[in-house]
């Protein structure tokens, strides 16, 4: 009788142990501790970006610029005789940089102050542009809708201290360059007149 009771106790113990082991296997493993976003490296950020881009609910405006759908171009509204109109249409909604040069051999501080005034005037005219000084006489104006680049260019080249403006590889002379060009013309005429007077004197001496 005692032996039977011992066997029953042993079987019950085995049953309890096997049940506990089964529950442990069925229990989900502890979630892996999430990495602190401050510790993310470039590979982690790239993987995170890929996961975001796989999401079908991402709005068009939240996609990287190179993955956004370009707006359709209505060629019937484009003046074929003016290439700038075509460029405006193709740059609509795209980031574009404008390079501007300040005249008069300025320091970087001078360029900072002058281009800041230009940026303020553009802001007052409802043009939202970012500005970066990249040299003692050079600054970049960055806008998120490139279709306005040529309007901003027209404003910049009419500033007294603007030497030139470059948009999409095309350089446009500014007011300062035109002023300098006009100032050199009288000097050239003066030199020509002086040369003519010397020739006349030489001819008289020969006579």
């Amino acid at each position: 009788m005692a032996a039977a009771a011992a066997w029953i106790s042993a079987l019950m113990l085995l049953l309890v142990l096997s049940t506990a082991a089964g529950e442990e296997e069925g229990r989900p493993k502890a979630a892996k501790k999430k990495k602190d976003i401050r510790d993310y490296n470039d590979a982690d950020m790239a993987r995170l970006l890929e996961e975001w881009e796989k999401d079908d609910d991402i709005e068009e405006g939240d996609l990287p610029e190179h993955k956004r759908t370009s707006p359709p171009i209505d060629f019937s509204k484009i003046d074929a005789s003016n290439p700038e109109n075509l460029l405006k249409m193709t740059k609509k909604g795209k980031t574009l940089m404008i390079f501007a040069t300040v005249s008069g051999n300025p320091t970087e501080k001078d360029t900072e102050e002058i281009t800041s005034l230009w940026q303020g005037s553009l802001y007052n005219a409802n043009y939202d542009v970012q500005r970066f000084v990249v040299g003692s006489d050079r600054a970049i104006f960055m806008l998120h809708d490139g279709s306005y680049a040529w309007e901003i260019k027209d404003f910049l080249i009419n500033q007294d201290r603007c030497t030139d403006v470059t948009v999409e590889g095309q350089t446009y002379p500014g007011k300062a360059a035109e002023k300098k060009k006009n100032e050199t013309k009288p000097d050239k005429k003066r030199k020509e007149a002086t040369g003519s007077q010397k020739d006349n004197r030489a001819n008289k001496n020969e006579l």
Side-chain angles (χ1 to χ4, degrees), residues 114-125:
I114 293 166
T115 56
S116 176
L117 292 173
W118 296 350
Q119 182 186 24
S121 297
L122 288 167
Y123 181 80
N124 291 335

Side-chain angles (χ1 to χ4, degrees), residues 13-151:
L13 181 61
L14 286 171
L15 183 62
V16 169
L17 289 173
S18 63
T19 303
E23 288 178 356
E24 185 67 28
E25 288 179 3
R27 196 176 296 157
K29 292 182 180 180
K32 188 178 179 181
K33 187 178 179 182
K34 287 187 176 181
K35 191 173 183 179
D36 193 321
I37 194 167
R38 290 172 295 184
D39 298 327
Y40 276 26
N41 55 30
D42 290 343
D44 295 326
M45 294 302 291
R47 188 162 52 250
L48 186 63
L49 182 60
E50 285 178 6
E51 289 175 5
W52 285 344
E53 290 178 357
K54 285 177 184 175
D55 188 352
D56 293 333
D57 295 331
I58 295 177
E59 294 183 5
E60 180 79 14
D62 294 330
L63 287 170
E65 188 173 295
H66 66 281
K67 292 202 171 185
R68 295 177 198 163
T69 305
S70 297
I73 300 173
D74 187 356
F75 288 97
S76 64
K77 295 181 179 179
I78 296 175
D79 181 4
S81 63
N82 189 348
E84 281 189 7
N85 286 336
L86 179 59
L87 286 170
K88 286 179 185 178
M89 297 294 286
T90 57
K91 297 301 176 182
K92 187 172 180 61
K94 295 183 179 180
T95 301
L96 192 144
M97 291 188 293
I98 300 172
F99 296 85
T101 306
V102 178
S103 68
N105 297 319
T107 63
E108 193 164 325
K109 184 180 179 182
D110 293 334
T111 297
E112 174 72 37
E113 292 174 354
I114 293 166
T115 56
S116 176
L117 292 173
W118 296 350
Q119 182 186 24
S121 297
L122 288 167
Y123 181 80
N124 291 335
N126 295 320
Y127 291 106
D128 185 17
V129 297
Q130 291 178 278
R131 177 182 53 89
F132 307 94
V133 174
V134 292
S136 61
D137 65 346
R138 197 120 164 113
I140 293 173
F141 290 86
M142 187 172 75
L143 53 156
H144 296 292
D145 188 345
S147 63
Y148 295 109
W150 286 267
E151 294 174 25

